[in-house]
Amino acid sequence: MCSTAVLRISECFIKPLASTAESNHICNLTSWDIAMLSMQYIQKGLLFNKPHNQQDFIENLLDKLKHSLYLALNHFYPLAGRLVTQKTQDPPSYVVFVDCSNSSGARFIYATLDMTISDILSPVYVPPIVQSLFDLDRAINHDGHTMPLLAVQVTELIDGVFVGCSMNHTIADGTSFWNFFNAWSEIFQAQGQHGDIDVPISRQPIHNRWFPEGCGQLVNLPFKHHDEFIIRFEAPKLRERIFHFSSESIAILKAKANSESNSTEISSFQSLSAHVWRSITRARCLPYNQRTSCNLAINNRSRMEPPLPDEYFGNSINVVNEGTTAGELIEHDLGWAAWKVHLAVANHNDKMVRHKVKEWLQSPLVYQLGLHFDPFSVTMSSSPRFNMYGNEFGMGKAVAVLSGCANKFDGSVTAYQGYEGGGSIDLEVSLSSDAMRALELDKEFMKAVSVPNPVY
């Protein structure tokens, strides 16, 4: 592999149309948003093959990406804003919101890397250089007071192009992130078919944030200074590897989980999550009585009554979990663990969502990576349901989805669509070197892992 570094060539800032009435709004933040202030940005991106023998290809691509991003921000205008904290002493208040207009806008960076797609995707472990394909490395969401809420980095490789987005997690969750990415791609492909300003998109974002009835639309925090709730987390040295699970392999896990639990209700992803939870727990060689849990980031939208639309732009997620001891988890079969995961998901209904919001408002909590995610558990984030490979920017279908180092820790597992679709799933697993080595030697785990066909 080449030993090199990402070289930043240029950068600029992009703002939505100033006359857009909505872009002058203040965007209030909900409990779901504010809880993310000490977490890190969402960092996800797509790797594409670079077309051959196209004169002025990269210049034309950058121009079209910038223009389509400008048009996309007219729809997703909070991403061009900045966070603002407003404090008063009498009466005492501490409120964080988004100023959608008083900002430089979203940052757009063009960079180069003297490496090939194979240099990125062929190694067994995700190479550290992938972290440099994203802007705002290790920034936390509270930094959105002075840093962009959205930063796009387009990195030209020898034979490829990586389009990486870093998006402030107080502004958006995974659903909102990919809705934005999908709309940007849709606008890119529609350029020239419509006017320069009003390019329609199929899924218009909804910016009216959800607040429980009777609570108002300002969340007053019980703090005097951000040092009271901000902690910067630095993950220990981890191994990251992407494991591929074909739809056939996942179907076998699902059938096994349902058969062993005498059920028909356990889903494919619940079965896969339980399989990963048991396997990583074995690999860690934890003491019998050590508590461990399987945590899943879960979308609240469809669970609420009435449901929030998928187009709701903002955060609408909770983390559900089910725990036991390491000994019990390993002694029991997959069906036992999968049923516990299923119950945690099934019980997360409208009543539970509203209860958690009420509980948070009574005692506001800002999530901390180093405190709220313990090193003995497994946390499943992102979703293979997100439309990742449907995004094309004049280069055909992407060859891979990759993420930065943000929000990763020992036991974090990021789920992606499998390249071939059809229900296949890729899981990016982050573990200590010893645990990763043991996981790779675990025959039960590796039996379910499939070998993907190279697409580059």
Side-chain angles (χ1 to χ4, degrees), residues 41-198:
Y41 277 54
I42 302 174
Q43 292 182 321
K44 299 287 188 295
L46 297 169
L47 182 59
F48 297 91
N49 280 308
K50 186 163 65 176
H52 298 294
N53 303 320
Q54 281 195 20
Q55 190 174 9
D56 301 323
F57 162 73
I58 195 66
E59 291 83 0
N60 292 331
L61 175 67
L62 293 173
D63 286 343
K64 291 180 179 179
L65 284 172
K66 290 176 186 177
H67 185 63
S68 55
L69 178 59
Y70 156 72
L71 296 175
L73 288 174
N74 287 330
H75 298 283
F76 295 84
Y77 56 85
L79 293 174
R82 288 290 187 277
L83 295 183
V84 174
T85 293
Q86 193 171 72
K87 294 185 281 187
T88 62
Q89 293 183 342
D90 189 20
S93 71
Y94 191 109
V95 176
V96 183
F97 58 89
V98 182
D99 185 337
C100 298
S101 57
N102 188 21
S103 160
S104 300
R107 183 151 62 198
F108 186 98
I109 295 167
Y110 166 55
T112 59
L113 175 61
D114 190 26
M115 295 174 70
T116 66
I117 291 177
S118 180
D119 292 331
I120 301 294
L121 299 184
S122 291
V124 172
Y125 304 112
V126 178
I129 193 68
V130 169
Q131 297 178 13
S132 300
L133 299 178
F134 296 90
D135 189 24
L136 301 174
D137 188 38
R138 290 172 173 77
I140 63 170
N141 298 310
H142 190 271
D143 293 335
H145 283 79
T146 56
M147 296 180 179
L149 301 183
L150 172 68
V152 173
Q153 181 174 318
V154 179
T155 305
E156 181 183 10
L157 283 70
I158 294 171
D159 58 352
V161 174
F162 186 78
V163 180
C165 281
S166 300
M167 186 180 293
N168 194 291
H169 212 329
T170 59
I171 305 303
D173 57 12
T175 299
S176 296
F177 177 96
W178 286 108
N179 282 348
F180 162 77
F181 219 119
N182 298 159
W184 182 21
S185 170
E186 189 178 359
I187 291 170
F188 182 97
Q189 295 176 75
Q191 285 182 108
Q193 301 175 24
H194 303 275
D196 277 349
I197 304 301
D198 189 19

Side-chain angles (χ1 to χ4, degrees), residues 34-39 223 229-230 360 364-368 372:
I34 293 171
M36 297 292 184
L37 279 169
S38 196
M39 300 287 282
F223 305 116
F229 59 89
I230 295 300
W360 189 95
L365 173 70
V366 176
Y367 297 138
Q368 308 290 345
H372 297 122

Side-chain angles (χ1 to χ4, degrees), residues 364-425:
L365 173 70
V366 176
Y367 297 138
Q368 308 290 345
L369 281 172
L371 299 178
H372 297 122
F373 299 92
D374 71 71
F376 309 113
S377 298
V378 171
T379 298
M380 311 290 294
S381 65
S382 188
S383 171
R385 294 182 177 181
F386 296 149
N387 178 13
M388 301 175 182
Y389 286 103
N391 299 287
E392 297 190 14
F393 295 96
M395 296 174 284
K397 182 178 177 179
V399 298
V401 184
L402 297 171
S403 61
C405 71
N407 300 312
K408 290 180 180 173
F409 47 90
D410 193 339
S412 63
V413 181
T414 307
Y416 307 126
Q417 276 185 320
Y419 176 84
E420 70 269 28
S424 61
I425 296 174

Side-chain angles (χ1 to χ4, degrees), residues 282-328:
R282 281 196 302 270
R284 285 170 165 164
C285 299
L286 300 177
Y288 186 96
N289 290 322
Q290 175 61 56
R291 295 290 300 180
T292 177
S293 65
C294 183
N295 311 308
L296 295 93
I298 192 166
N299 186 353
N300 292 328
R301 290 169 177 79
S302 62
R303 299 174 186 279
M304 301 185 68
E305 299 175 6
L308 287 178
D310 286 341
E311 293 80 11
Y312 173 88
F313 189 76
N315 285 282
S316 184
I317 53 172
N318 282 115
V319 174
V320 300
N321 63 77
E322 187 59 49
T324 183
T325 64
E328 286 181 321

